[in-house]
Amino acid sequence: MGTSNLYGGPKRTILLPPDYLDIDGEGPFVEPDVDDVVPPDNPLGERCPEEDENLIPSPITLQDWGSVKRNTSKAASGSGVSIKGLTKSYVRALGGYKQAAGKALAARNTAARLFLMFSGSPEVIQKRLEEQGVQFEGRSSIDIVTDICELIAPVPDTAENALVSKALSQAFSDFFSRPGFDAESLNLFDMSFLLAMLERMTVNYIFFKLIRQSGIGCVRGNIPVHNTLHFEKDLKVFIDGIVKVELPKHIQTGLTGTELNRAIKELYVDSYKVMMSMR
């Protein structure tokens, strides 16, 4: 079953707080408390984030982003800058690894919704999905998966939310397009599924966001196609390797809602930290 481009955007209400700043928006960034994502007994409920007054944003300059774009061009063309060098300058331009993880709020909340939605036995999961309007009987796998995406993904009303939705949709496509997959077989939705989905979504989010912000689109016309494709493949493999190592350190079975929110944040913090510190 192919599921590429299966996601057309959710139809439900916006769950982001009104004061959420998009990564590309202007103004100081204030990070919400790590515990205020989604109540553990209400996977798709409204959130009430609070501000962490102790977080002081690192100054971000045009010089930082200019360095990222130059490093992107050099790394893509193989002109002396490694992927490690690029990712280090990129995270620095975001304000450091803590700021980078803080600005991934929408991705972290979506990961929490994903995890909570598919926690429990197959019977519990199916009941939960059906209560949210997902019907299984007589429907194709792609229709079922599309409905699930719409439940979990944020409304793509900003560039950041659209990127999170893309990362989630691609994660579902990667998992559900495997030969022989049947979305009606809820026995597949076990802990290994959750870990695989969380890993894929985290990798996709970090990768897509870096590609969008690093200016690779501006240099594609000046670099041979095979060089660009090779660079993007290597970059994603690099990010994937980091997330694969970091995820088992934080995500475990039996986490409460509060523990899950903290664990997901720490996953992003440590992933960006490794990206910034590797030499």
Side-chain angles (χ1 to χ4, degrees), residues 68-99:
V68 171
K69 295 182 185 299
R70 287 192 298 273
N71 286 342
T72 299
S73 178
K74 291 179 180 179
S77 61
S79 303
V81 174
S82 67
I83 287 177
K84 294 178 182 179
L86 166 61
T87 59
K88 184 173 184 176
S89 65
Y90 169 71
V91 178
R92 183 185 295 116
L94 288 175
Y97 59 89
K98 291 183 179 179
Q99 288 291 325

Side-chain angles (χ1 to χ4, degrees), residues 202-212 231-233 235-236 239:
T202 304
V203 171
N204 290 339
Y205 172 79
I206 294 175
F207 172 74
F208 290 151
K209 193 167 188 174
L210 195 160
I211 288 295
R212 188 191 78 190
F231 161 73
E232 293 185 1
K233 180 180 178 181
L235 176 60
K236 193 165 189 178
I239 296 170

Side-chain angles (χ1 to χ4, degrees), residues 143-249:
D143 288 339
I144 295 171
V145 172
T146 299
D147 284 353
I148 293 173
C149 265
E150 290 183 352
L151 280 175
I152 299 172
V155 176
D157 57 345
T158 66
E160 174 73 358
N161 286 354
L163 190 147
V164 173
S165 296
K166 179 182 178 181
L168 178 67
S169 177
Q170 186 62 53
F172 270 107
S173 294
D174 292 343
F175 189 87
F176 292 164
S177 60
R178 298 181 307 180
F181 173 79
D182 181 1
E184 296 184 67
S185 178
L186 290 176
N187 289 321
L188 291 172
F189 300 143
D190 54 13
M191 189 64 184
S192 62
F193 162 79
L194 282 174
L195 293 176
M197 285 294 297
L198 185 54
E199 176 191 304
R200 295 320 309 158
M201 184 190 158
T202 304
V203 171
N204 290 339
Y205 172 79
I206 294 175
F207 172 74
F208 290 151
K209 193 167 188 174
L210 195 160
I211 288 295
R212 188 191 78 190
Q213 294 183 307
S214 65
I216 184 63
C218 299
V219 303
R220 282 195 178 107
N222 301 319
I223 299 174
V225 174
H226 69 275
N227 284 35
T228 304
L229 293 177
H230 184 71
F231 161 73
E232 293 185 1
K233 180 180 178 181
D234 287 349
L235 176 60
K236 193 165 189 178
V237 169
F238 175 77
I239 296 170
D240 183 73
I242 292 173
V243 175
K244 280 183 183 294
V245 171
E246 296 302 321
L247 187 141
K249 298 178 183 178

Side-chain angles (χ1 to χ4, degrees), residues 58-75:
S58 301
I60 302 173
T61 68
L62 292 177
Q63 183 178 2
D64 291 326
W65 283 109
S67 176
V68 171
K69 295 182 185 299
R70 287 192 298 273
N71 286 342
T72 299
S73 178
K74 291 179 180 179

Side-chain angles (χ1 to χ4, degrees), residues 2-53:
T3 55
S4 297
N5 302 318
L6 59 88
Y7 179 63
K11 304 173 183 177
R12 55 185 173 75
T13 56
I14 298 173
L15 298 181
L16 286 178
D19 59 348
Y20 174 71
L21 285 178
D22 183 86
I23 177 64
D24 295 324
E26 298 179 353
F29 174 80
V30 182
E31 183 181 13
D33 188 276
V34 298
D35 297 336
D36 296 312
V37 179
V38 193
D41 58 347
N42 186 12
L44 298 177
E46 296 291 340
R47 296 179 286 103
C48 300
E50 298 175 357
E51 294 181 347
D52 182 353
E53 298 179 353

